[in-house]
Amino acid sequence: MVHRSRSSSSSSSSSSSSSSSSDSDTTREHWWLRKKKTKHAGNNAASRLTASTAKLLLLTAAQRVLPSTPMTSNGQPSENSRLLSSRRDQDTENQAPTACESNPKVRGVVWSALTSVFVAAVILLVGFERVFGDAFAPWLGKLPKDPFLAALAILDKAPVIDGHIDLPILVRARYANNASAVDLESEMPGHVDIPRLRKGKVGGFFWSVYVSCPDPGKEGKDFLGGTWRVRDTLEQIDVSKLLISNYPDTFALALNVEDIKKAIVGGKIASLLGVEGGHQLGNSIAVLRQYHALGVRYVTLTHTCHNAFADSCGYLPGIIPLHGGLSELGRSLINEMNRLGVLVDLSHTSDATAKQAILHSKAPVIWSHSSARAVHDVPRNVPDDILQLIGHGEGKDAVVMVNFAPFFVAEPNNATVKAVADHVDHIAQVAGKQHVGLGSDFDGIGDVPVGLEDVSKYPALIAELYSRGWNKYELAGLTGGNLLRVFEGAEKVALDLQAAGTPPVFDLYDKRTDIPRGHSEL
């Protein structure tokens, strides 16, 4: 979420298919579950499909026209005839011959007609592909030439899983968290509602249970002043889960990758929870465990303020570091996040925090809503030297989910869908296309890029990237597959740590004086 707009606030762990799945299940399989194919392989597949279709038509025609039992020229069974015929074969033999079987001329006419129809269809599809291509593309296993139609086809198979949507804070500001007063099936005042989610082909998103950084004067330099941030976070978790449960035909609470896949395959929108800032933990790793138990699956280490765990990048340049990156308690926090399977989110963190977290975390990491600093130089965006630590080569597996906030995308009045695509392209070039995703920040930003005005507009971005040469498998990774891989990686690390008997982390913030540190203090 963009800090300056907070005051107003108006603005699927294992594969879902197994080796025992039927062929029909495989044909419906989402692209993120399938291996990436090269362009050459895709063309070969289309060619094989066309050839198979032709063979099927020819065989069908032959079966209709020719006798079912192989015969010699004198009408006797040939050496290829079956030795033992079934009752069905005997019944068939007792039936009167059809017109085609008894009259060679009729058979020839039917054969010629079918052949002519098939040849004409091939000529139309091959010779007039530009005219009929989009209409017949699905039949040939191809995408439409029109980028927008291609984007819709891709999103039907690989819907968007957005890393960061701020609907809960809008509900807090506009409706005082009264979930019964919110009608998500009608047009909402922000960027998100059910009709627009459906139009935008959204298959899932993280509901950000954000509350703002506390007043420094009340919190104090050691973060010990009472600020009610844990209470407020619990309220945001509560309203998010209430809204999810109010629309069971649309939303499904997701706690892991398998839940995400199950929701999407079932036509629902997978709904995950993310905490946007370590200041919401109350300096306590125990609070993290309780958030996890309530369904939280990522924690952003900082927002625009430093906290007891890590340094923030702030909002504008010039924030003075406090810890020089992670504090010791911050390293312990990441250890516990790894053990639980909570994703480490590095959006909003300082460069030092991000670098140290990448090296310290045993699990893959994410940026839930950040763009590329080389494209637009603001502290909130990820610089190239950090992008080079992930992806290509021996880098940490990670996904950077591109933010749509105009202030992070381009100079004033220059934020467009093309500008957002530039960020996607740049991250892909530096880290690899397997390490970029989408984290719009919708409902947390006061302004939007031209062409990406709300959640219904995701297809415009996919169309832009398709026109730039991204193929359907790369785009399926961008829309959600890359996040699922990273999330699955974090789940595996958690399972391994738990299987090894790794105990929970009990480290306490060293500046706390309200809790005994040993038996002598009881």
Side-chain angles (χ1 to χ4, degrees), residues 303-316:
H303 195 252
T304 55
C305 53
H306 301 321
N307 57 57
F309 304 101
D311 286 349
S312 168
C313 69
Y315 184 68
L316 298 172

Side-chain angles (χ1 to χ4, degrees), residues 159-231:
V160 169
I161 305 175
D162 194 306
H164 193 90
I165 285 181
D166 275 302
L167 176 60
I169 198 66
L170 182 144
V171 172
R172 185 181 186 89
R174 291 293 190 95
Y175 303 92
N177 274 1
N178 182 354
S180 65
V182 178
D183 183 5
L184 290 178
E185 292 180 331
S186 299
E187 185 173 355
M188 288 285 288
H191 310 126
V192 183
D193 50 52
I194 290 172
R196 285 183 284 181
L197 286 166
R198 293 300 193 187
K199 185 177 179 181
K201 307 284 187 177
V202 176
F205 65 90
F206 276 90
W207 299 56
S208 173
V209 293
Y210 163 86
V211 294
S212 64
C213 286
D215 181 340
K218 294 181 179 179
E219 184 181 44
K221 65 182 181 64
D222 292 328
F223 315 111
L224 294 176
T227 63
W228 301 105
R229 287 307 180 265
V230 173
R231 176 204 65 183

